[in-house]
Amino acid sequence: MTIKEAGQGKDIEDDPDFYKTLLESTKAIPWKIDWNSLTFTYIGPQIEHLLGWPRTSWNSVEDWAERMHPEDRKRVVEFCLEQSRKGADHEADYRALTQQGDYVWIRDVVHVLHDQQGNMEALVGFMFDISERKKVEIERDRLRQELEALSYLDSLTGVANRRMLDQVLEREWMEARRQQQPLSIIMFDIDYFKQYNDSFGHFKGDECLREVAQLLTSSATRARDFVARFGGEEFVLVLPQTDAVAAKTVAQRCFEKLKAADIHHPSSPVAQRITLSCGVATSMPTHTDSLDQFLEQADRALYRAKEGSRNCIQVACSDGKCVETDWN
């Protein structure tokens, strides 16, 4: 049983004016494109309210493509044409240009129409304003990226944490092996840091760790040089494409900056200021070499520095021995 329009005796299903009124009363923007000519045969009046362009200016798909953000155009046009040729319904999100020169996020939902013979006849669909939704999505993605970045940072010092260090080391080791370039690593340990905490308290100890982290960061001058907190009062400096001589020079630069900072430490048996023990290792990795062994070389060099005079640089050599550089 059909619904009759009051007093007119006409089936609503047979009344095009009813459907036109219904379509044009929604916020979604209806449209229809003839497939053979790729021209608009209809677009709802809502388009003028949303984008400002007159309905009469929407003539062909070129008008639709030209009013799309340049960064979105190629991707969206190619995708929609590909799906339409397949006869597949689809949807696409993009930024549409307003007559005032701004952009509005649009979602186009497309349905493919066929004639009785099964030939593609037209594309029909709706444009939806999804600007508010996109703002929420973009903000959510930004916050997710911030949280992800924070998960790779040491919360106390602001330099990279052990998690990020492991990833960077793995990547740089593989790159050094592939390019047959030297890779150096410097391990630092703050001398007698427990005594510093005992003398000044953990709050001042945290300040000291932050200052040392920033001094090491300022000594890593190239884009790929990388500083991380290894744990406790230990830090690591990763130096891609750096041989042993250059790595030792960087370590000495770190010592000079720390000496100039003159962080008072009267409880230190080494000096009346904060000092570092340092282990340096360099490798030109091959497929038979191991990243773990490389890290062990640097760690052993650091251990020898701590067991010796401290406030010094120990450079691991290929024969497993170390060369000590005193620092006074």
Side-chain angles (χ1 to χ4, degrees), residues 181-207:
Q181 293 281 348
L183 174 66
S184 291
I185 184 172
I186 309 175
M187 289 187 174
F188 298 94
D189 186 276
I190 300 176
D191 295 327
Y192 299 105
F193 187 68
K194 181 181 182 300
Q195 287 81 347
Y196 185 88
N197 271 333
D198 291 342
S199 297
F200 296 105
H202 289 282
F203 182 77
K204 287 291 291 183
D206 290 347
E207 283 188 357

Side-chain angles (χ1 to χ4, degrees), residues 136-150:
V136 173
E137 290 178 2
I138 291 170
E139 178 65 12
R140 183 185 61 205
D141 290 343
R142 184 188 67 79
L143 290 174
R144 179 184 56 78
Q145 291 171 2
E146 282 188 3
L147 288 173
E148 185 176 342
L150 288 173

Side-chain angles (χ1 to χ4, degrees), residues 20-83:
K20 182 178 179 183
T21 301
L22 184 64
L23 286 173
E24 295 182 357
S25 65
T26 66
K27 290 186 177 181
I29 304 167
W31 55 265
K32 182 177 181 180
I33 291 176
D34 176 72
W35 178 251
N36 293 320
S37 63
L38 293 180
T39 57
F40 281 91
T41 59
Y42 178 79
I43 191 164
Q46 303 98 316
I47 195 71
E48 295 185 0
H49 175 73
L50 180 61
L51 300 181
W53 303 103
R55 294 175 72 188
T56 54
S57 68
W58 295 83
N59 297 310
S60 69
V61 293
E62 282 81 7
D63 298 313
W64 167 71
E66 287 175 1
R67 292 166 183 172
M68 197 179 296
H69 195 288
E71 294 177 3
D72 301 336
R73 186 178 299 135
K74 186 175 186 295
R75 169 183 59 84
V76 173
V77 171
E78 289 182 356
F79 170 76
C80 289
L81 286 176
E82 179 186 12
Q83 296 302 308

Side-chain angles (χ1 to χ4, degrees), residues 38-320:
L38 293 180
T39 57
F40 281 91
T41 59
Y42 178 79
I43 191 164
Q46 303 98 316
I47 195 71
E48 295 185 0
H49 175 73
L50 180 61
L51 300 181
W53 303 103
R55 294 175 72 188
T56 54
S57 68
W58 295 83
N59 297 310
S60 69
V61 293
E62 282 81 7
D63 298 313
W64 167 71
E66 287 175 1
R67 292 166 183 172
M68 197 179 296
H69 195 288
E71 294 177 3
D72 301 336
R73 186 178 299 135
K74 186 175 186 295
R75 169 183 59 84
V76 173
V77 171
E78 289 182 356
F79 170 76
C80 289
L81 286 176
E82 179 186 12
Q83 296 302 308
S84 298
R85 290 190 183 104
K86 292 178 180 178
D89 295 344
H90 56 280
E91 51 185 66
D93 295 352
Y94 57 88
R95 288 161 289 181
L97 178 67
T98 69
Q99 195 175 35
Q100 292 74 34
D102 301 318
Y103 285 96
V104 174
W105 273 101
I106 293 288
R107 173 165 293 167
D108 245 329
V109 179
V110 184
H111 179 65
V112 181
L113 294 181
H114 297 84
D115 60 23
Q116 293 182 348
Q117 289 72 41
N119 299 316
M120 196 182 304
E121 182 178 41
L123 302 175
V124 297
F126 286 93
M127 294 180 184
F128 295 90
D129 178 5
I130 60 169
S131 298
E132 290 303 315
R133 185 188 312 173
K134 274 293 180 181
K135 285 180 182 178
V136 173
E137 290 178 2
I138 291 170
E139 178 65 12
R140 183 185 61 205
D141 290 343
R142 184 188 67 79
L143 290 174
R144 179 184 56 78
Q145 291 171 2
E146 282 188 3
L147 288 173
E148 185 176 342
L150 288 173
S151 71
Y152 288 107
L153 293 179
D154 175 59
S155 59
L156 176 61
T157 63
V159 298
N161 60 18
R162 179 66 182 271
R163 180 185 179 192
M164 175 61 87
L165 173 64
D166 290 342
Q167 293 188 18
V168 169
L169 276 171
E170 184 70 29
R171 184 182 69 236
E172 294 295 355
W173 179 263
M174 298 295 291
E175 183 67 12
R177 188 170 68 183
R178 186 176 67 85
Q179 297 287 347
Q180 276 300 282
Q181 293 281 348
L183 174 66
S184 291
I185 184 172
I186 309 175
M187 289 187 174
F188 298 94
D189 186 276
I190 300 176
D191 295 327
Y192 299 105
F193 187 68
K194 181 181 182 300
Q195 287 81 347
Y196 185 88
N197 271 333
D198 291 342
S199 297
F200 296 105
H202 289 282
F203 182 77
K204 287 291 291 183
D206 290 347
E207 283 188 357
C208 176
L209 289 171
R210 282 191 287 268
E211 189 166 356
V212 170
Q214 293 308 308
L215 287 170
L216 297 179
T217 300
S218 67
S219 300
T221 57
R222 300 175 308 167
R224 284 171 60 190
D225 293 347
F226 178 82
V227 178
R229 187 181 179 194
F230 196 63
E233 62 269 26
E234 292 188 1
F235 295 87
V236 172
L237 181 51
V238 182
L239 302 171
Q241 298 180 341
T242 304
D243 61 21
V245 174
K248 184 178 175 182
T249 299
V250 173
Q252 290 171 333
R253 186 189 307 148
C254 295
F255 275 62
E256 289 168 358
K257 285 179 175 287
L258 185 59
K259 183 177 182 180
D262 195 20
I263 304 172
H264 193 49
H265 186 3
S267 302
S268 172
V270 177
Q272 295 297 296
R273 57 181 174 79
I274 287 290
T275 59
L276 295 171
S277 294
C278 172
V280 182
T282 301
S283 177
M284 184 89 75
T286 67
H287 289 282
T288 60
D289 294 320
S290 158
L291 175 58
D292 288 341
Q293 291 173 344
F294 175 54
L295 295 176
E296 286 175 9
Q297 287 181 356
D299 190 55
R300 284 198 300 268
L302 174 60
Y303 178 79
R304 291 180 183 179
K306 291 168 64 176
E307 288 297 299
S309 63
R310 302 206 184 196
N311 189 28
C312 68
I313 301 167
Q314 288 269 3
V315 180
C317 301
S318 58
D319 59 2

